[in-house]
Amino acid sequence: QVQLVESGGGLVQPGGSLRLSCAASGSIYEIGTMDWYRQAPGMQRELVARVNSVGDTNYADSVKGRFTISRDAAKKMVFLQMNSLQPEDTAVYYCNAHLASRTQWGRGTQVTVSS
């Protein structure tokens, strides 16, 4: 079993920054690629950023140049540094881990960008 717990969300003004964290526990040896997704009200959940087990990353076009995903060497945590936040970035942000035969989701953390 793998458990994921996100933290670091909150209210920030446009142009501000937040750093999200996702802590993994349990059978972390199963974890390969890790993702950050987000879901705004009334919208589908969308992939924001991905990092694989060797550190290769990719990003949604909407966040390229503003967001940075990273993970620690022990694969216990993954981070999302979010800069130049805009109101359209408002969403619940979810951590997702790719395991051997399935994926595991966290419960999410709310990010609200508003003046």
Side-chain angles (χ1 to χ4, degrees):
Q1 289 284 354
V2 170
Q3 296 80 40
L4 303 174
V5 178
E6 301 95 336
S7 61
L11 173 65
V12 63
Q13 292 187 341
S17 298
L18 282 175
R19 187 183 192 225
L20 304 183
S21 300
C22 173
S25 61
S27 303
I28 62 170
Y29 60 88
E30 295 187 57
I31 298 175
T33 295
M34 296 189 77
D35 308 320
W36 283 99
Y37 279 76
R38 68 185 180 187
Q39 187 167 20
M43 304 292 285
Q44 289 190 335
R45 193 171 296 189
E46 63 172 351
L47 177 64
V48 175
R50 172 168 287 168
V51 59
N52 67 14
S53 57
V54 296
D56 298 324
T57 60
N58 54 59
Y59 299 91
D61 287 343
S62 58
V63 307
K64 280 181 182 176
R66 300 189 299 124
F67 291 11
T68 303
I69 189 171
S70 61
R71 68 193 293 177
D72 74 352
K75 297 192 286 187
K76 291 182 179 179
M77 296 194 73
V78 64
F79 307 97
L80 187 68
Q81 178 66 44
M82 305 187 295
N83 299 327
S84 302
L85 283 161
Q86 300 302 318
E88 53 266 33
D89 296 315
T90 295
V92 178
Y93 284 71
Y94 297 90
C95 180
N96 178 256
H98 295 239
L99 310 179
S101 59
R102 63 183 182 88
T103 61
Q104 178 66 45
W105 293 91
R107 291 189 173 187
T109 185
Q110 176 70 46
V111 171
T112 302
V113 186
S114 175
S115 55

